[in-house]
Amino acid sequence: MILLDFPLYLMETLKCRGSLCGFVVVFMFLTTVSKGSACHAPSTPQCFETKADEFYICEWSMNTTESDVMFDLYFKKNRFRNIKTTWSKIHRDKLNLFTPVDLWVEAHVGNSSCTSTKKSVILSNTVKYEAPQKISISWLKNGLKLRWAAVEQNSALAEVRFQRHDEHHTELWENRTTNTTIESSMYQVIVTNMSKHSAYRVQIRHRPTQPRNPLWSDWSPVVMVPAELERSPEVSVTTRLVNGTRRVMLTWKPMPHTASVGKVNYTLKDTQSSRGCPCEERTHHFKWNKYTTYISYSAANISVIARNAAGYSPPAIIQVPAVPAADLKSCDKTLLNEKLNKQTCLELYDLQDGDSRSENVITLTGRKKKKEREQIRESIKDYVRYLYFEHTCDGDRKPRTVKRCLFYKKEGVPLREPQDFTPSSETDHSVDLSWKAIPSVDQRGFLTHYSLCRVKISSQEEHKDCQNISASLINHRLENLTPGTKYNISLAGVTRVGEGPRATITINTQPKKPVNVLWSLLFLFGFFFISTVCTFILKRIKNKIFPPVPTPVIPDFTPCQPESQQMLERKEEVHELTLHQLHPERKSLPEDAEETPVFRGKWDDGTDEDAEDERGDSRMPGGSSDECLSTDQALRSSREGEMTDMDQVDNEIAMLIYRNGLVFDVKTDST
Ligand SMILES: *[C@@H]1O[C@H](CO)[C@@H](O)[C@H](O)[C@H]1NC(C)=O
Ligand SMILES: *[C@@H]1O[C@H](CO)[C@@H](O)[C@H](O)[C@H]1NC(C)=O
Ligand SMILES: *[C@@H]1O[C@H](CO)[C@@H](O)[C@H](O)[C@H]1NC(C)=O
Ligand SMILES: *[C@@H]1O[C@H](CO)[C@@H](O)[C@H](O)[C@H]1NC(C)=O
Ligand SMILES: *[C@@H]1O[C@H](CO)[C@@H](O)[C@H](O)[C@H]1NC(C)=O
Ligand SMILES: *[C@@H]1O[C@H](CO)[C@@H](O)[C@H](O)[C@H]1NC(C)=O
Ligand SMILES: *[C@@H]1O[C@H](CO)[C@@H](O)[C@H](O)[C@H]1NC(C)=O
């Protein structure tokens, strides 16, 4: 059918009107097929210099299902036969590079063959680089930096295509074309306007800028670009003391998802090992987000850094303070002048302000050279207090602290006196003293004690009396001082070498105080009080056991007692005891009533006990039995006077004298 129709189609083709030209293609196709049904013409070959070596590469393609295809490559008259691949590598010496040549390829499939179209090229103009390999990526402030090996000294043109990373790769690809810069044999491009917080898939191709006919390289393999690690890992630490070493367990949260695309590694370093004390430098790289390490008792900083393909996080710095030591002793022996083995490391922390600052640490290890060790030993200062550490590195690279103590290379006397030396609560025989310790930088040695001295200024001999008090004290009560005396009191810190400057104060003890008299008065009173109570009780008891036997010897006393009792009951009405003039006829009453006090009583404080006591006293033989009587009479007479005639009072002057608050003395005078 086809062959029959042929003349008709040819005629149509000759007219070649518009769409009918398509038939020519059909015709051509049919002629090709007629040569051999298995052969489809290959594409025109492309030959280029790679710059990688001395060879040119020619590439073409062909659609075939046959496995056994052979190609012949033609450079005008030059023929390269029996090529089994769709490319060929030809040494440049075999080629005419600088004049135009016709270039084609002929394919042979079975008994049939087909030829590609011809193309005229100047080979030297055609350059194609190999696809970029080993691309390194890092996030900058303004974008993503991409670097890969440069092919030539000249800069290249690069095309970067990128796609935001998601599970299904649905995001759009974006393209950027930029000229590369060259830095230490690396091409470098910075792609701006990419978000650091996202992960991307990136591909690059490049081509030279110099040749007239540059070809784009193939695309590089897809590079996964994770988001920037903006934050340092959030590390939590638990530390446990284990027999001279510290087990430090660090854990942290995984890095954000977008930053973990590809893989994340962690790097851990500690300052102890980076100083080589006592174990050699260790940097740990690992994938998981926890780690256990060991450090000695001295202070250390541990840093954890997360790394991904695009960079690394800021370091998380864990400051592990030194293990506090409650009571550090002075060193009895150090290894400073000994030969050190490689596993031993000594550290001397300069205790300037009482705390150890790592910048002032002197480190001496057995690994250092002899000369270097000498220099280190010389750098240890006299009179400076050091915290001495002796560490060793155990077999499994665990640092262990063997010894800690306080060390002076050479001791001196304190530079300063104890501070703020002040007296307080001075009494006549003692004073409280307080002070602040000498700053440790001024101690310049271990204080063995304080020397506290006193000098009496007033006395002629000026004898200095000193005592030693503990170096740990900051106050002291100084006793056994003489009352009313001026003292110079001085305090100085003492080291093994000697005594430092003295802080001096002058105090005046108080004169012997009436406080003592008051105290003894109070004591006496107490004694008196107790004895009266006792007497009273005893008397009660006595009265119970031995009821009072009336004594015929002193019959006058019997009325006295109830009267006294009455008097006591009336004692609150003493104000009524105003004395009135006695009637003339009363005057004839006993003489002593007129001349001796009519009433004499002791009213210490009006307590019953006192009265009882008085009553007891009055019973004493040879006591004032007449007093009792006279009192009685006086009371009676006053009462009578009161009752009889009050008008008479004007004519009489009654004088009441109140003496010592205790005794009433009453005198009567007639005018
Ligand atoms: C091979 O076939 C594909 C599609 O079938 C086509 O795009 C391509 O151009 C063909 N190649 C050649 C050399 O004919
Ligand atoms: C190809 O040629 C060989 C001999 O050269 C012959 O034997 C074979 O039959 C031929 N094949 C076709 C498909 O013509
Ligand atoms: C690259 O540099 C060349 C000249 O060196 C310039 O002509 C070209 O425009 C540049 N291309 C880009 C994308 O900047
Ligand atoms: C502590 O370390 C010392 C010295 O290595 C060892 O002899 C001792 O057994 C250790 N003690 C413990 C509890 O591990
Ligand atoms: C740890 O780091 C802090 C702050 O950077 C620094 O002051 C300190 O000296 C360091 N400590 C050690 C033991 O390196
Ligand atoms: C007492 O101290 C003062 C000054 O603090 C000093 O001038 C004086 O000489 C001292 N007196 C004695 C006896 O040490
Ligand atoms: C104080 O101590 C020093 C040194 O220990 C000693 O020589 C001195 O006798 C002591 N003084 C007194 C008063 O105890």
Side-chain angles (χ1 to χ4, degrees):
M1 276 300 287
I2 292 168
L3 287 173
L4 278 174
D5 290 341
F6 176 65
L8 177 71
Y9 285 119
L10 186 63
M11 283 171 74
E12 289 293 328
T13 311
L14 288 169
K15 288 177 186 170
C16 199
R17 282 205 310 263
S19 61
L20 286 175
C21 284
F23 290 103
V24 179
V25 177
V26 175
F27 167 71
M28 292 297 282
F29 174 74
L30 289 172
T31 48
T32 310
V33 167
S34 68
K35 279 187 178 176
S37 61
C39 193
H40 299 263
S43 65
T44 315
Q46 222 173 27
C47 292
F48 50 86
E49 199 186 350
T50 60
K51 299 279 179 189
D53 48 29
E54 307 257 272
F55 289 87
Y56 265 70
I57 289 180
C58 294
E59 289 175 339
W60 59 93
S61 65
M62 187 185 157
N63 285 339
T64 180
T65 48
E66 297 287 330
S67 57
D68 193 22
V69 186
M70 288 289 209
F71 298 100
D72 292 341
L73 181 63
Y74 292 87
F75 289 88
K76 215 170 188 177
K77 287 159 208 156
N78 237 341
R79 190 168 69 163
F80 298 89
R81 298 193 59 182
N82 299 334
I83 302 163
K84 288 182 176 166
T85 53
T86 55
W87 60 275
S88 181
K89 221 171 164 184
I90 301 153
H91 199 276
R92 55 189 294 159
D93 292 351
K94 291 183 182 168
L95 296 172
N96 183 0
L97 297 177
F98 302 101
T99 52
V101 286
D102 284 339
L103 188 64
W104 73 96
V105 70
E106 196 177 277
H108 304 278
V109 184
N111 288 349
S112 56
S113 65
C114 41
T115 308
S116 75
T117 51
K118 285 181 191 171
K119 190 175 164 189
S120 177
V121 293
I122 299 171
L123 285 175
S124 62
N125 283 348
T126 314
V127 180
K128 181 184 171 186
Y129 291 157
E130 280 178 31
Q133 300 291 330
K134 290 184 185 164
I135 297 160
S136 73
I137 45 179
S138 55
W139 285 107
L140 300 181
K141 267 207 180 70
N142 53 345
L144 181 70
K145 184 165 94 176
L146 299 153
R147 301 177 82 210
W148 64 98
V151 184
E152 287 184 282
Q153 293 301 311
N154 305 317
S155 93
L157 190 68
E159 185 178 0
V160 180
R161 64 186 207 131
F162 52 91
Q163 176 192 36
R164 252 180 231 262
H165 173 71
D166 69 356
E167 291 294 302
H168 313 291
H169 304 237
T170 51
E171 299 272 338
L172 288 176
W173 286 92
E174 283 182 64
N175 283 43
R176 299 280 165 78
T177 306
T178 49
N179 282 329
T180 65
T181 56
I182 299 186
E183 211 182 275
S184 47
S185 309
M186 300 288 275
Y187 285 147
Q188 180 177 309
V189 293
I190 293 167
V191 186
T192 52
N193 296 333
M194 285 175 80
S195 162
K196 287 187 205 181
H197 313 294
S198 306
Y200 288 92
R201 294 151 55 79
V202 172
Q203 279 186 298
I204 311 171
R205 61 179 186 174
H206 54 178
R207 72 173 205 207
T209 49
Q210 302 295 319
R212 207 166 303 157
N213 183 27
L215 300 175
W216 279 112
S217 74
D218 295 336
W219 285 105
S220 70
V222 171
V223 180
M224 294 301 304
V225 180
E228 191 187 41
L229 286 162
E230 289 167 291
R231 263 175 271 151
S232 52
E234 288 170 41
V235 183
S236 59
V237 192
T238 50
T239 309
R240 217 176 72 215
L241 296 188
V242 192
N243 199 15
T245 185
R246 279 188 284 178
R247 199 178 129 92
V248 182
M249 281 169 288
L250 307 148
T251 51
W252 54 92
K253 281 193 221 138
M255 293 293 113
H257 178 69
T258 51
S260 312
V261 168
K263 60 178 180 181
V264 177
N265 278 344
Y266 299 96
T267 304
L268 185 140
K269 269 188 202 175
D270 71 272
T271 51
Q272 287 185 351
S273 74
S274 53
R275 285 204 311 269
C277 183
C279 301
E280 278 168 63
E281 177 157 10
R282 294 167 301 173
T283 307
H284 310 277
H285 301 283
F286 45 91
K287 291 203 288 280
W288 45 94
N289 51 340
K290 63 181 176 194
Y291 201 80
T292 300
T293 186
Y294 290 86
I295 56 170
S296 70
Y297 278 9
S298 56
N301 282 356
I302 301 175
S303 67
V304 179
I305 295 173
R307 289 172 181 278
N308 63 16
Y312 47 86
S313 71
I317 295 181
I318 301 105
Q319 296 191 21
V320 188
V323 175
D327 46 349
L328 282 171
K329 304 259 176 343
S330 61
C331 297
D332 49 350
K333 186 169 152 281
T334 68
L335 295 183
L336 282 168
N337 294 315
E338 309 286 315
K339 198 174 181 311
L340 299 175
N341 66 31
K342 287 218 161 89
Q343 310 309 324
T344 302
C345 171
L346 309 180
E347 280 183 309
L348 288 171
Y349 285 87
D350 185 340
L351 294 180
Q352 286 291 356
D353 299 315
D355 69 338
S356 47
R357 289 181 297 171
S358 59
E359 53 264 42
N360 291 336
V361 68
I362 294 172
T363 308
L364 188 61
T365 72
R367 276 191 289 274
K368 290 206 166 116
K369 293 205 177 70
K370 195 174 175 215
K371 207 172 164 196
E372 212 179 333
R373 288 205 304 265
E374 274 318 309
Q375 280 173 354
I376 290 170
R377 283 192 186 106
E378 273 162 30
S379 69
I380 303 170
K381 289 172 272 180
D382 289 343
Y383 313 126
V384 169
R385 180 178 293 192
Y386 289 103
L387 177 56
Y388 171 89
F389 276 96
E390 202 175 295
H391 308 292
T392 187
C393 186
D394 282 345
D396 47 355
R397 315 202 59 66
K398 272 189 210 167
R400 186 161 54 83
T401 301
V402 181
K403 189 173 187 173
R404 283 187 296 171
C405 54
L406 296 173
F407 173 77
Y408 278 97
K409 187 180 184 186
K410 188 177 172 191
E411 285 189 65
V413 299
L415 264 188
R416 288 169 77 179
E417 64 276 11
Q419 307 294 295
D420 298 345
F421 186 39
T422 38
S424 61
S425 335
E426 290 159 50
T427 69
D428 57 342
H429 70 284
S430 75
V431 62
D432 285 342
L433 303 168
S434 66
W435 60 92
K436 283 192 192 132
I438 304 170
S440 76
V441 62
D442 294 324
Q443 288 184 9
R444 292 164 48 105
F446 296 111
L447 282 192
T448 55
H449 57 272
Y450 287 109
S451 165
L452 178 65
C453 298
R454 64 179 105 165
V455 184
K456 257 188 215 175
I457 297 174
S458 45
S459 77
Q460 295 303 311
E461 68 261 38
E462 287 189 355
H463 169 66
K464 198 173 183 182
D465 186 6
C466 292
Q467 69 189 96
N468 287 350
I469 55 177
S470 163
S472 61
L473 293 178
I474 50 160
N475 53 52
H476 181 73
R477 188 181 181 84
L478 188 57
E479 305 264 16
N480 300 329
L481 300 175
T482 315
T485 313
K486 197 171 184 181
Y487 282 98
N488 264 9
I489 296 179
S490 64
L491 184 74
V494 186
T495 64
R496 223 176 310 186
V497 179
E499 184 179 296
R502 292 194 158 269
T504 305
I505 50 168
T506 306
I507 61 149
N508 283 302
T509 52
Q510 292 179 358
K512 214 162 181 64
K513 268 203 294 189
V515 172
N516 283 358
V517 180
L518 276 174
W519 272 110
S520 35
L521 266 180
L522 214 67
F523 175 75
L524 272 177
F525 174 75
F527 179 76
F528 180 68
F529 177 80
I530 289 162
S531 58
T532 47
V533 171
C534 288
T535 318
F536 176 73
I537 291 165
L538 277 173
K539 206 157 285 167
R540 276 279 172 89
I541 293 167
K542 199 179 148 196
N543 285 355
K544 284 248 169 78
I545 300 170
F546 312 107
V549 184
T551 33
V553 188
I554 324 159
D556 305 340
F557 267 74
T558 330
C560 174
Q561 212 158 335
E563 282 307 304
S564 308
Q565 214 65 321
Q566 275 176 18
M567 176 206 75
L568 282 166
E569 282 157 19
R570 281 189 304 253
K571 73 184 162 42
E572 296 297 325
E573 300 167 313
V574 163
H575 63 278
E576 291 174 19
L577 202 68
T578 35
L579 272 290
H580 306 281
Q581 194 220 354
L582 300 170
H583 290 283
E585 56 267 33
R586 290 281 172 190
K587 263 186 176 177
S588 63
L589 278 163
E591 293 293 299
D592 52 326
E594 230 178 274
E595 283 159 32
T596 60
V598 271
F599 171 67
R600 180 169 293 182
K602 253 187 166 185
W603 299 75
D604 263 342
D605 55 1
T607 56
D608 282 349
E609 286 84 0
D610 287 329
E612 196 70 29
D613 187 43
E614 202 163 299
R615 198 182 64 187
D617 282 348
S618 65
R619 261 197 200 170
M620 300 291 280
S624 47
S625 62
D626 50 355
E627 204 176 280
C628 183
L629 278 170
S630 63
T631 310
D632 194 25
Q633 280 163 4
L635 279 166
R636 224 177 273 160
S637 61
S638 69
R639 237 148 241 263
E640 276 162 32
E642 216 174 352
M643 285 185 290
T644 49
D645 199 359
M646 299 295 278
D647 301 79
Q648 297 286 324
V649 175
D650 303 337
N651 304 328
E652 301 286 330
I653 294 168
M655 251 176 85
L656 175 67
I657 299 163
Y658 180 59
R659 260 186 221 156
N660 292 334
L662 300 172
V663 179
F664 290 103
D665 238 13
V666 179
K667 278 181 188 163
T668 53
D669 254 339
S670 55
T671 43

